[in-house]
Amino acid sequence: MEEQQSPFQAAIKPGLTIGLVSLALTFIAYFIDSTLLGSAWFGLVAIVLFFVLIIYFGKEYRTEIGGFMSFGTAFNFSFIAMVISGLIGLLGQILLFHVIDPSLASVLADQAFETQMSMMEKFGQNPDSMDPAILEQMRASTSKGFTLSGQLMSFGFGLIVYAIIALILGAILKKKDKSLDY
């Protein structure tokens, strides 16, 4: 009889796969048009793909362990896979923003700032009527997100988001063996 993998062991390969797929998408978008990396639809496509792949690999793992999985096992599997994937993505972004194209960070920061300004206008706030110091502070905080410390801090906050998403995925992936109920 083959020994079953723990959720941690089982999540390594899917985490690596998802991380490499997201990294490939990031670099493909960068080579096509670097401003795609700052677009909302690219982020939405990445998130949907992320969810689909985690659910796919989670169902594969559930089948591998006998067709049933507790919430805790599903949560652990999902969370570990996302953390591994996130670490690969972080390393890829550090490589992209600090080695391959250091000027990309300022381009994306400017794009994000312009998006913030257009959103403010849509909600009725005229950016021209705002204090220039506040606008400059907003621009600086947007740029800070692309620094090495900003990326590391973002990953730290991302762990909280990963945990919340893993809770949702744990609820989706769990499957109770009804034959054990009596």
Side-chain angles (χ1 to χ4, degrees), residues 79-146:
F79 184 70
I80 297 300
M82 284 188 283
V83 168
I84 292 169
S85 161
L87 283 170
I88 291 171
L90 175 65
L91 292 174
Q93 287 180 2
I94 289 171
L95 181 68
L96 182 61
F97 293 138
H98 301 285
V99 176
I100 295 172
D101 189 355
S103 67
L104 179 62
S106 65
V107 170
L108 293 178
D110 289 343
Q111 183 181 357
F113 180 74
E114 292 303 320
T115 301
Q116 285 177 332
M117 294 298 103
S118 72
M119 288 298 289
M120 290 173 68
E121 287 176 356
K122 286 180 184 176
F123 288 112
Q125 174 68 42
N126 183 359
D128 294 333
S129 67
M130 291 181 66
D131 181 9
I134 292 174
L135 290 174
E136 191 53 41
Q137 185 180 16
M138 288 173 63
R139 183 180 294 279
S141 83
T142 303
S143 295
K144 185 181 176 192
F146 292 97

Side-chain angles (χ1 to χ4, degrees), residues 118-179:
S118 72
M119 288 298 289
M120 290 173 68
E121 287 176 356
K122 286 180 184 176
F123 288 112
Q125 174 68 42
N126 183 359
D128 294 333
S129 67
M130 291 181 66
D131 181 9
I134 292 174
L135 290 174
E136 191 53 41
Q137 185 180 16
M138 288 173 63
R139 183 180 294 279
S141 83
T142 303
S143 295
K144 185 181 176 192
F146 292 97
T147 64
L148 182 59
S149 64
Q151 288 175 305
L152 293 172
M153 193 167 23
S154 177
F155 180 75
F157 288 123
L159 291 174
I160 297 168
V161 174
Y162 291 161
I164 294 167
I165 293 171
L167 288 170
I168 295 166
L169 291 170
I172 292 170
L173 293 172
K174 73 176 170 74
K175 187 173 183 183
K176 188 175 181 181
D177 187 356
K178 304 261 189 234
S179 68

Side-chain angles (χ1 to χ4, degrees), residues 26-45:
T26 300
F27 279 95
I28 288 169
Y30 169 72
F31 290 124
I32 291 172
D33 179 8
S34 62
T35 60
L36 288 175
L37 295 173
S39 70
W41 71 267
F42 179 77
L44 183 62
V45 167

